[in-house]
Amino acid sequence: MKRNLERLANQKFDVLVVGGGIHGAITAWDAALRGLSVALIERGDFGSGTSQNSLKIIHGGLRYLQDGNLSRIRMMVRERTTWMKIAPHLIHPLPCLMPTTQKISGSRLALSVALKANDILSFDRNRLDDPQKDLPDGMIVSQQELSRILPNYDVWNSTGAAVWYDAQIYNSERLLLEFILSAVDAGAEVANYVEAIGFLQRDSRISGVRAKDAQTGQIFDIQSKLVINCAGAWMDCLLEKAALRSEYAVSIAMNVMVSQVWSEVAVGLTSQPVNGKRPQVIFIVPWRNQSMIGTCHIPWQDGPHTFMLNQVTVQEFLDQINSAHPPLKLSLKDVRHVTWGFLPVHRSDANNPHVKLTRDGVVIDHQKRDGISGLISVLGVKYTTARVVAEQAMDLAVNQLGMKTRKCQTHLTPVRGGKIEDFRAFLRKAIRKVPRVISERSTEHLVYTYGSEYQKLVESALRQPDLARRIDPPLPVTVAEVEHAIHHEMALTLADVIRRRTEVGSTGLPSMPTLQKCASLIGPQFQWNSDHQQQEINRVIQGYPFQQTETRAANL
Ligand SMILES: Cc1cc2nc3c(=O)[nH]c(=O)nc-3n(C[C@H](O)[C@H](O)[C@H](O)COP(=O)(O)OP(=O)(O)OC[C@H]3O[C@@H](n4cnc5c(N)ncnc54)[C@H](O)[C@@H]3O)c2cc1C
């Protein structure tokens, strides 16, 4: 995948996608698979907006039983199955648990009814050929079993627990990148660090954007029959350039990462009312050897540019978490990483002190709504539903273009790396086959990360054994991945490599020697001098506002 701004400037595209978050990435892939000529620009790095901050759960919609919205649940169940089918290396079953209580709404009876309903509504969830993706029926377990699964949990307030299965994204940044790479495989032209700064507009017709290359400051035009605004929380900032405004505002959502609380099962616990916040279900999710805890919702009355995360806000969330499970006693020094981003709320709910999230993704037809042709906007609410929202946007796009194209293929087509029929068998074979110059742990990591493409990295490591070395043991990440990111995945900065191509920085700020090692590997490829390398390191550090550089915790 090569960045080529000349081609962006010189070709007229059917579709131009603005924004390389999960919605933009899948929209571009969908357009390319339908046979349209498509370009995508992202003003930062791919996935560097809200998408890199998700809790990595692909929801089957159990929580929406409360709303009684059965069609939404069915859609989420179908999407969960689709994700496991098209990206089998990156989406895996996740057992989830919630203690039952004496209260009627949280009782064993109420939750066993909910689990039964969930099983019925997801009756077709296991119609996949890969046995590793099977999601067993939900069940209620005893108080004794609960104390075995959750050591240190005070089981005396509970009467047992409800257990069900959802899915987890092994690495959401890589998943997003696989969609970008797949779009490129299907013919899309993509570039990161290119911002849409205005529209090419004559009267009520939009025919592309004016763009700015953040690397050089160069300004150029990209012509396109249709622009799809996938700018996420910045959707309205882009619409302003055409004097338009949507009905949506933003709220803030945040997760924290701490040392592992419980392994293997995601646990939903209800917080107490603290700091003026209502009780809410907080999920403690195992990820690598850490726990991600989320999600904290914060109302916000202003635009996305002005929010600054501060220690008070993080501490308030830790208070909420501690109220749900007091033995945790979490304080700021326990936080390894904070990830936060934006979620949409309806403008009329923006002043509500308790965030009322928009439940469903929206595709805005500006021709119909505002009389402006050549522009569609996409408002996404969940990673889980991004594929289906992208499909809706492209159905509308094809209709407006009046072109004859193939139907949507994204629910049927494996993403780059996704050509695996039986994940466990594939992994076993890889571990047997790969020479032990690459450790078993690194081989496993390569298969989970690159799927059916892992051999490319193995081959380059075998050609050049230096590449088989681990960057930061015991992390399994190899030098080959850093090289691959720069040469084949359009990584342009140290942060791109550390946060969104490899896992070097995914469980917290890497140690200074690791940052320096990565910078010195990348630097010569981009002719960075030592000052530039230091600036790149400083930028990475800024992305972890609550952590000092330190040697990695021994439990990694
Ligand atoms: C804390 C948190 C936890 C979450 N957990 C989950 C979860 O577990 N499961 C789930 O399903 N969902 C979850 N979500 C929701 C999910 O992450 C989001 O719905 C999704 O990532 C939004 O994707 P997007 O593409 O719409 O936006 P973004 O990822 O923000 O992408 C928009 C992109 O557009 C770019 N852009 C903006 N303006 C321009 C411009 N003018 N030119 C070029 N590019 C531009 C931005 O830089 C950005 O990268 C969570 C969200 C948060 C914040």
Short mmCIF file of all heavy atoms in Angstrom, two decimals, residues 18-23 41-43 49-51 53-57 59 194-196 230-232 234 238 253-255 295 341-343 380-384, ligand 1:
data_model
loop_
_atom_site.label_atom_id
_atom_site.label_comp_id
_atom_site.label_asym_id
_atom_site.label_seq_id
_atom_site.Cartn_x
_atom_site.Cartn_y
_atom_site.Cartn_z
N VAL A 18 -14.33 10.48 3.04
CA VAL A 18 -13.52 11.35 3.92
C VAL A 18 -13.59 10.77 5.32
O VAL A 18 -14.67 10.70 5.92
CB VAL A 18 -14.05 12.80 3.90
CG1 VAL A 18 -13.24 13.66 4.88
CG2 VAL A 18 -13.97 13.38 2.50
N GLY A 19 -12.45 10.35 5.85
CA GLY A 19 -12.38 9.79 7.21
C GLY A 19 -12.01 8.32 7.16
O GLY A 19 -12.72 7.52 6.55
N GLY A 20 -10.89 8.00 7.79
CA GLY A 20 -10.42 6.61 7.81
C GLY A 20 -10.60 5.97 9.17
O GLY A 20 -9.70 5.34 9.70
N GLY A 21 -11.78 6.14 9.76
CA GLY A 21 -12.16 5.35 10.94
C GLY A 21 -12.79 4.06 10.44
O GLY A 21 -12.73 3.75 9.23
N ILE A 22 -13.42 3.31 11.34
CA ILE A 22 -13.95 2.01 10.92
C ILE A 22 -15.06 2.19 9.87
O ILE A 22 -15.15 1.41 8.92
CB ILE A 22 -14.41 1.14 12.13
CG1 ILE A 22 -14.72 -0.28 11.70
CG2 ILE A 22 -15.59 1.76 12.89
CD1 ILE A 22 -13.58 -1.06 11.15
N HIS A 23 -15.88 3.25 10.01
CA HIS A 23 -16.97 3.43 9.03
C HIS A 23 -16.42 3.79 7.65
O HIS A 23 -16.88 3.26 6.63
CB HIS A 23 -17.98 4.47 9.53
CG HIS A 23 -18.81 3.95 10.68
ND1 HIS A 23 -18.38 4.05 11.97
CD2 HIS A 23 -19.99 3.28 10.70
CE1 HIS A 23 -19.28 3.46 12.77
NE2 HIS A 23 -20.27 3.01 12.02
N ILE A 41 -9.51 9.45 2.10
CA ILE A 41 -8.47 10.26 2.76
C ILE A 41 -8.76 10.33 4.25
O ILE A 41 -9.93 10.35 4.68
CB ILE A 41 -8.36 11.69 2.17
CG1 ILE A 41 -9.71 12.41 2.17
CG2 ILE A 41 -7.75 11.64 0.77
CD1 ILE A 41 -9.60 13.90 1.83
N GLU A 42 -7.70 10.36 5.03
CA GLU A 42 -7.79 10.44 6.48
C GLU A 42 -6.81 11.52 6.93
O GLU A 42 -5.64 11.50 6.54
CB GLU A 42 -7.44 9.07 7.10
CG GLU A 42 -7.03 9.08 8.55
CD GLU A 42 -8.07 9.68 9.51
OE1 GLU A 42 -9.26 9.30 9.44
OE2 GLU A 42 -7.67 10.55 10.33
N ARG A 43 -7.28 12.44 7.78
CA ARG A 43 -6.40 13.58 8.07
C ARG A 43 -5.30 13.25 9.07
O ARG A 43 -4.30 13.93 9.17
CB ARG A 43 -7.22 14.76 8.57
CG ARG A 43 -7.77 14.52 9.91
CD ARG A 43 -8.26 15.75 10.56
NE ARG A 43 -8.83 15.30 11.82
CZ ARG A 43 -9.67 15.98 12.50
NH1 ARG A 43 -10.07 17.15 12.08
NH2 ARG A 43 -10.14 15.51 13.62
N GLY A 49 -8.84 8.26 15.14
CA GLY A 49 -9.94 8.98 15.79
C GLY A 49 -10.54 8.12 16.88
O GLY A 49 -9.82 7.48 17.66
N THR A 50 -11.86 8.05 16.92
CA THR A 50 -12.53 7.28 17.97
C THR A 50 -12.25 5.78 17.85
O THR A 50 -12.16 5.08 18.85
CB THR A 50 -14.05 7.55 17.90
OG1 THR A 50 -14.26 8.92 18.23
CG2 THR A 50 -14.84 6.69 18.87
N SER A 51 -12.05 5.31 16.62
CA SER A 51 -11.99 3.86 16.43
C SER A 51 -10.87 3.17 17.20
O SER A 51 -10.98 2.00 17.52
CB SER A 51 -11.87 3.54 14.94
OG SER A 51 -13.05 3.94 14.28
N ASN A 53 -10.14 3.57 20.14
CA ASN A 53 -10.40 3.61 21.58
C ASN A 53 -11.52 2.68 22.04
O ASN A 53 -11.98 2.77 23.17
CB ASN A 53 -10.75 5.05 21.97
CG ASN A 53 -9.61 5.98 21.64
OD1 ASN A 53 -8.51 5.79 22.12
ND2 ASN A 53 -9.85 6.95 20.78
N SER A 54 -11.97 1.80 21.17
CA SER A 54 -13.13 1.00 21.55
C SER A 54 -12.77 -0.05 22.60
O SER A 54 -11.60 -0.36 22.81
CB SER A 54 -13.74 0.35 20.31
OG SER A 54 -13.51 -1.02 20.30
N LEU A 55 -13.79 -0.58 23.24
CA LEU A 55 -13.59 -1.62 24.25
C LEU A 55 -13.40 -2.98 23.57
O LEU A 55 -13.24 -3.99 24.24
CB LEU A 55 -14.80 -1.63 25.19
CG LEU A 55 -14.69 -2.32 26.54
CD1 LEU A 55 -13.56 -1.78 27.39
CD2 LEU A 55 -16.00 -2.22 27.32
N LYS A 56 -13.44 -2.98 22.27
CA LYS A 56 -13.12 -4.16 21.44
C LYS A 56 -14.15 -5.28 21.56
O LYS A 56 -13.83 -6.45 21.36
CB LYS A 56 -11.72 -4.70 21.74
CG LYS A 56 -10.63 -3.64 21.62
CD LYS A 56 -9.26 -4.21 21.83
CE LYS A 56 -8.21 -3.18 22.16
NZ LYS A 56 -8.11 -2.01 21.33
N ILE A 57 -15.38 -4.93 21.93
CA ILE A 57 -16.41 -5.97 22.01
C ILE A 57 -17.32 -5.87 20.78
O ILE A 57 -17.74 -4.77 20.39
CB ILE A 57 -17.23 -5.83 23.31
CG1 ILE A 57 -16.31 -6.09 24.50
CG2 ILE A 57 -18.40 -6.81 23.32
CD1 ILE A 57 -16.95 -6.03 25.83
N HIS A 59 -20.76 -6.70 19.96
CA HIS A 59 -21.93 -6.99 20.79
C HIS A 59 -22.97 -7.78 20.01
O HIS A 59 -23.29 -7.43 18.88
CB HIS A 59 -22.61 -5.69 21.24
CG HIS A 59 -21.70 -4.77 21.99
ND1 HIS A 59 -21.46 -4.92 23.34
CD2 HIS A 59 -20.98 -3.70 21.60
CE1 HIS A 59 -20.63 -3.97 23.74
NE2 HIS A 59 -20.32 -3.22 22.70
N VAL A 194 -4.02 13.24 5.03
CA VAL A 194 -4.59 14.17 4.04
C VAL A 194 -5.97 14.60 4.55
O VAL A 194 -6.82 13.75 4.82
CB VAL A 194 -4.75 13.49 2.65
CG1 VAL A 194 -5.48 14.42 1.68
CG2 VAL A 194 -3.38 13.11 2.08
N GLU A 195 -6.15 15.91 4.71
CA GLU A 195 -7.40 16.42 5.30
C GLU A 195 -8.28 17.08 4.23
O GLU A 195 -7.77 17.79 3.36
CB GLU A 195 -7.04 17.47 6.37
CG GLU A 195 -8.26 18.08 7.02
CD GLU A 195 -7.92 19.01 8.17
OE1 GLU A 195 -6.72 19.29 8.39
OE2 GLU A 195 -8.87 19.44 8.85
N ALA A 196 -9.57 16.82 4.32
CA ALA A 196 -10.51 17.56 3.46
C ALA A 196 -10.73 18.92 4.12
O ALA A 196 -11.21 18.97 5.26
CB ALA A 196 -11.83 16.80 3.35
N CYS A 230 -17.42 10.43 6.30
CA CYS A 230 -17.30 9.46 7.40
C CYS A 230 -16.38 10.04 8.46
O CYS A 230 -15.51 9.34 8.98
CB CYS A 230 -16.74 8.13 6.90
SG CYS A 230 -17.85 7.22 5.83
N ALA A 231 -16.53 11.32 8.75
CA ALA A 231 -15.59 12.01 9.63
C ALA A 231 -15.91 11.82 11.10
O ALA A 231 -15.31 12.48 11.96
CB ALA A 231 -15.53 13.49 9.26
N GLY A 232 -16.84 10.95 11.44
CA GLY A 232 -17.13 10.61 12.84
C GLY A 232 -17.57 11.84 13.61
O GLY A 232 -18.45 12.60 13.17
N TRP A 234 -16.30 14.54 13.84
CA TRP A 234 -15.99 15.77 13.11
C TRP A 234 -16.90 15.93 11.88
O TRP A 234 -16.65 16.76 11.02
CB TRP A 234 -14.52 15.78 12.70
CG TRP A 234 -13.63 15.70 13.90
CD1 TRP A 234 -13.13 16.75 14.62
CD2 TRP A 234 -13.18 14.52 14.56
NE1 TRP A 234 -12.39 16.28 15.67
CE2 TRP A 234 -12.39 14.91 15.66
CE3 TRP A 234 -13.35 13.15 14.34
CZ2 TRP A 234 -11.80 14.00 16.53
CZ3 TRP A 234 -12.76 12.24 15.20
CH2 TRP A 234 -11.99 12.67 16.28
N LEU A 238 -16.99 19.18 9.00
CA LEU A 238 -16.88 19.10 7.54
C LEU A 238 -18.15 19.69 6.90
O LEU A 238 -18.06 20.45 5.92
CB LEU A 238 -16.68 17.64 7.11
CG LEU A 238 -16.33 17.40 5.65
CD1 LEU A 238 -15.05 18.15 5.25
CD2 LEU A 238 -16.15 15.92 5.37
N ALA A 253 -16.63 9.27 25.70
CA ALA A 253 -16.64 7.93 26.31
C ALA A 253 -15.19 7.53 26.58
O ALA A 253 -14.29 7.87 25.82
CB ALA A 253 -17.31 6.93 25.38
N MET A 254 -14.99 6.80 27.70
CA MET A 254 -13.61 6.51 28.13
C MET A 254 -13.51 5.11 28.73
O MET A 254 -14.43 4.63 29.39
CB MET A 254 -13.25 7.56 29.20
CG MET A 254 -12.00 7.26 29.96
SD MET A 254 -11.56 8.55 31.12
CE MET A 254 -12.93 8.59 32.23
N ASN A 255 -12.37 4.46 28.47
CA ASN A 255 -12.01 3.19 29.12
C ASN A 255 -10.68 3.39 29.83
O ASN A 255 -9.86 4.18 29.36
CB ASN A 255 -11.78 2.08 28.10
CG ASN A 255 -12.99 1.83 27.22
OD1 ASN A 255 -14.12 1.85 27.69
ND2 ASN A 255 -12.73 1.60 25.94
N THR A 295 -17.64 1.25 30.20
CA THR A 295 -17.26 2.50 29.56
C THR A 295 -17.87 3.65 30.35
O THR A 295 -19.04 3.59 30.73
CB THR A 295 -17.75 2.52 28.11
OG1 THR A 295 -17.05 1.52 27.37
CG2 THR A 295 -17.53 3.84 27.43
N GLY A 341 -12.85 8.56 23.41
CA GLY A 341 -13.27 9.06 22.10
C GLY A 341 -14.67 9.64 22.21
O GLY A 341 -15.15 9.91 23.32
N PHE A 342 -15.31 9.80 21.06
CA PHE A 342 -16.60 10.48 21.04
C PHE A 342 -17.71 9.53 20.62
O PHE A 342 -17.50 8.66 19.77
CB PHE A 342 -16.56 11.63 20.04
CG PHE A 342 -15.52 12.66 20.38
CD1 PHE A 342 -14.28 12.65 19.75
CD2 PHE A 342 -15.78 13.62 21.34
CE1 PHE A 342 -13.32 13.59 20.06
CE2 PHE A 342 -14.81 14.57 21.67
CZ PHE A 342 -13.58 14.55 21.02
N LEU A 343 -18.88 9.72 21.21
CA LEU A 343 -20.06 8.97 20.77
C LEU A 343 -21.17 9.98 20.52
O LEU A 343 -21.29 10.98 21.25
CB LEU A 343 -20.47 7.96 21.84
CG LEU A 343 -19.54 6.75 22.01
CD1 LEU A 343 -19.99 5.89 23.17
CD2 LEU A 343 -19.48 5.93 20.73
N GLY A 380 -21.87 6.92 12.69
CA GLY A 380 -21.77 5.57 13.26
C GLY A 380 -21.89 5.62 14.77
O GLY A 380 -21.48 6.61 15.40
N VAL A 381 -22.47 4.58 15.35
CA VAL A 381 -22.60 4.55 16.82
C VAL A 381 -21.82 3.40 17.43
O VAL A 381 -21.56 3.39 18.63
CB VAL A 381 -24.07 4.46 17.26
CG1 VAL A 381 -24.81 5.72 16.89
CG2 VAL A 381 -24.78 3.25 16.69
N LYS A 382 -21.47 2.40 16.64
CA LYS A 382 -20.78 1.22 17.18
C LYS A 382 -19.84 0.64 16.14
O LYS A 382 -20.17 0.61 14.96
CB LYS A 382 -21.79 0.12 17.54
CG LYS A 382 -22.57 0.37 18.78
CD LYS A 382 -22.65 -0.86 19.65
CE LYS A 382 -23.00 -0.54 21.07
NZ LYS A 382 -21.95 0.16 21.79
N TYR A 383 -18.72 0.14 16.60
CA TYR A 383 -17.83 -0.64 15.74
C TYR A 383 -18.62 -1.84 15.21
O TYR A 383 -18.58 -2.16 14.02
CB TYR A 383 -16.67 -1.14 16.61
CG TYR A 383 -15.36 -1.35 15.92
CD1 TYR A 383 -14.29 -0.48 16.12
CD2 TYR A 383 -15.15 -2.44 15.09
CE1 TYR A 383 -13.05 -0.69 15.52
CE2 TYR A 383 -13.93 -2.66 14.48
CZ TYR A 383 -12.89 -1.79 14.69
OH TYR A 383 -11.68 -2.01 14.09
N THR A 384 -19.38 -2.50 16.11
CA THR A 384 -20.14 -3.71 15.78
C THR A 384 -21.01 -3.55 14.54
O THR A 384 -21.12 -4.47 13.74
CB THR A 384 -21.06 -4.07 16.98
OG1 THR A 384 -20.25 -4.16 18.15
CG2 THR A 384 -21.82 -5.36 16.75
C1 LIG B 1 -14.46 4.50 24.87
C2 LIG B 1 -15.22 3.85 23.75
C3 LIG B 1 -15.52 2.49 23.80
C4 LIG B 1 -16.22 1.87 22.75
N1 LIG B 1 -16.42 0.52 22.79
C5 LIG B 1 -17.06 -0.08 21.77
C6 LIG B 1 -17.22 -1.50 21.77
O1 LIG B 1 -16.74 -2.22 22.66
N2 LIG B 1 -17.90 -2.06 20.73
C7 LIG B 1 -18.41 -1.32 19.71
O2 LIG B 1 -19.04 -1.89 18.83
N3 LIG B 1 -18.25 0.03 19.67
C8 LIG B 1 -17.59 0.65 20.67
N4 LIG B 1 -17.40 2.01 20.63
C9 LIG B 1 -17.93 2.79 19.50
C10 LIG B 1 -16.99 2.74 18.29
O3 LIG B 1 -15.65 2.78 18.68
C11 LIG B 1 -17.31 3.93 17.37
O4 LIG B 1 -18.67 3.90 17.04
C12 LIG B 1 -16.52 3.90 16.07
O5 LIG B 1 -15.17 3.65 16.28
C13 LIG B 1 -16.70 5.21 15.32
O6 LIG B 1 -16.05 5.07 14.09
P1 LIG B 1 -16.08 6.24 13.00
O7 LIG B 1 -15.41 5.72 11.79
O8 LIG B 1 -17.47 6.74 12.85
O9 LIG B 1 -15.29 7.45 13.68
P2 LIG B 1 -13.72 7.70 13.84
O10 LIG B 1 -12.99 6.49 14.21
O11 LIG B 1 -13.55 8.89 14.74
O12 LIG B 1 -13.27 8.08 12.36
C14 LIG B 1 -13.49 9.34 11.78
C15 LIG B 1 -12.18 9.77 11.14
O13 LIG B 1 -12.39 10.88 10.31
C16 LIG B 1 -11.21 11.65 10.32
N5 LIG B 1 -11.52 13.00 9.85
C17 LIG B 1 -12.28 13.93 10.47
N6 LIG B 1 -12.36 15.02 9.73
C18 LIG B 1 -11.65 14.81 8.59
C19 LIG B 1 -11.34 15.59 7.46
N7 LIG B 1 -11.82 16.82 7.32
N8 LIG B 1 -10.56 15.05 6.49
C20 LIG B 1 -10.06 13.78 6.62
N9 LIG B 1 -10.32 13.01 7.69
C21 LIG B 1 -11.11 13.51 8.67
C22 LIG B 1 -10.77 11.59 11.76
O14 LIG B 1 -9.40 11.89 11.91
C23 LIG B 1 -11.13 10.17 12.15
O15 LIG B 1 -10.02 9.28 12.07
C24 LIG B 1 -16.67 2.65 21.66
C25 LIG B 1 -16.38 4.01 21.60
C26 LIG B 1 -15.64 4.60 22.61
C27 LIG B 1 -15.31 6.06 22.52
#
